[in-house]
Amino acid sequence: RTNAESQRKSALSQRESATLVDWLLEKYPEMKNVGDEPQIRPGIVHRLDRETSGILLAAKNQNYFEYLKSLFKTRRIKKTYLAVVLGAFKEKTGVIDKEIRIKSGSVKRTVFSGKMAKQAITRYTVKKTLRTADKEMFSLLEVVPETGRTHQIRVHLASLGHPVVGDRLYGPQKQPVWAERLMLHAHSLEFSTAESRRIKIEAEPPVRVRLPIAQAHRRRRVRRAVPGRIKTGAELSTPS
């Protein structure tokens, strides 16, 4: 291979291994002293689970960091997530109001017995119901957590018997073959700026979230167009 190809692959590898903090400091070096823990999380206002995709809010100066942090603390930021979960729901909307505790002897959270109970409220709306060719059922949810507890969405949905697909911590170890990672996406944040301007920030779901939904629609259209046809092997492992 040529020297140019080697340099390109080396640069790609470096970019892929770079952390979010590396990227932020490269783009916005003025953020290096912003935040509660600038040495570890410069400018980063809130947290996402490692496998959760989507929006993460960061501030470029300390004043705005404090302002955004106060919005989260006083629940004045509307957070909306998309989640693909196991099973189908009878009701199209619901509210989960269950305290979350730390499970004794573990880093896991639970709605059952444990320590340090904290109020947690999660609202959800069923956007689509998905069916695989082998009759397995999944649901696409729009989820709005009113509180911000660690693993809140994952724990609350699992407590209903509908764990997030790809969640081996709170769901089954055996997952669908198309679920390479956690199917949970921080889709939007809506809040008022310090200048009293209402804004909404959105992030397109990654392919791993969009793919099963798109496949569901494609399979359904084909089945209606060609009734009674034989299903292929690929369809047995993808939502339809």
Side-chain angles (χ1 to χ4, degrees):
R1 66 187 176 186
T2 66
N3 186 49
E5 288 175 332
S6 297
Q7 291 177 344
R8 181 181 61 80
K9 290 188 177 182
S10 175
L12 178 60
S13 176
Q14 290 174 6
R15 286 199 301 272
E16 289 175 342
S17 63
T19 66
L20 172 63
V21 169
D22 294 331
W23 184 87
L24 284 173
L25 292 180
E26 181 181 349
K27 295 282 288 185
Y28 308 105
E30 67 272 24
M31 292 175 62
K32 67 179 181 180
N33 295 318
V34 177
D36 292 333
E37 299 176 299
Q39 311 92 326
I40 304 172
R41 295 167 50 82
I44 299 173
V45 183
H46 64 123
R47 297 176 182 272
L48 288 180
D49 293 346
R50 181 181 297 273
E51 290 191 332
T52 301
S53 59
I55 297 173
L56 190 66
L57 207 56
K60 294 166 65 177
N61 61 65
Q62 190 64 31
N63 286 340
Y64 229 95
F65 176 87
E66 298 295 343
Y67 173 73
L68 292 172
K69 191 172 77 167
S70 73
L71 294 186
F72 278 101
K73 187 174 182 179
T74 55
R75 304 180 189 177
R76 288 183 288 157
I77 287 187
K78 182 180 179 181
K79 301 166 287 184
T80 303
Y81 289 73
L82 297 176
V84 179
V85 303
L86 297 175
F89 288 73
K90 292 182 179 180
E91 304 295 331
K92 295 301 181 183
T93 61
V95 179
I96 310 169
D97 186 351
K98 298 179 181 180
E99 291 184 333
I100 290 180
R101 300 169 172 81
I102 299 176
K103 193 172 184 179
S104 299
S106 171
V107 298
K108 293 178 67 174
R109 268 56 178 179
T110 180
V111 297
F112 304 108
S113 60
K115 57 186 179 181
M116 298 177 64
K118 293 184 178 181
Q119 181 192 31
I121 301 172
T122 304
R123 299 182 181 275
Y124 67 87
T125 302
V126 179
K127 306 301 289 184
K128 297 182 187 298
T129 300
L130 314 172
R131 183 197 299 269
T132 64
D134 55 3
K135 309 301 183 183
E136 287 185 301
M137 301 296 294
F138 301 89
S139 298
L140 171 66
L141 306 183
E142 183 179 87
V143 186
V144 179
E146 294 193 0
T147 50
R149 310 305 177 198
T150 300
H151 297 175
Q152 176 176 318
I153 293 174
R154 297 163 64 184
V155 172
H156 268 176
L157 292 174
S159 76
L160 298 183
H162 298 287
V164 177
V165 173
D167 191 349
R168 291 178 172 81
L169 185 61
Y170 297 104
Q173 289 300 304
K174 185 178 180 181
Q175 295 286 337
V177 295
W178 45 267
E180 296 180 0
R181 292 184 59 186
L182 188 70
M183 302 285 278
L184 181 62
H185 176 72
H187 182 54
S188 70
L189 293 173
E190 187 174 351
F191 59 94
S192 295
T193 67
E195 300 75 28
S196 299
R197 185 166 62 94
R198 192 72 179 171
I199 64 171
K200 184 176 183 179
I201 305 169
E202 294 185 321
E204 179 84 0
V207 172
R208 73 171 185 268
V209 176
R210 299 197 310 268
L211 183 61
I213 302 163
Q215 288 175 328
H217 286 290
R218 185 164 62 251
R219 302 288 186 243
R220 195 171 295 120
R221 286 198 298 269
V222 172
R223 284 204 186 94
R224 281 200 290 263
V226 189
R229 66 183 182 83
I230 299 175
K231 300 169 186 174
T232 67
E235 291 174 356
L236 300 180
S237 60
T238 55
S240 58

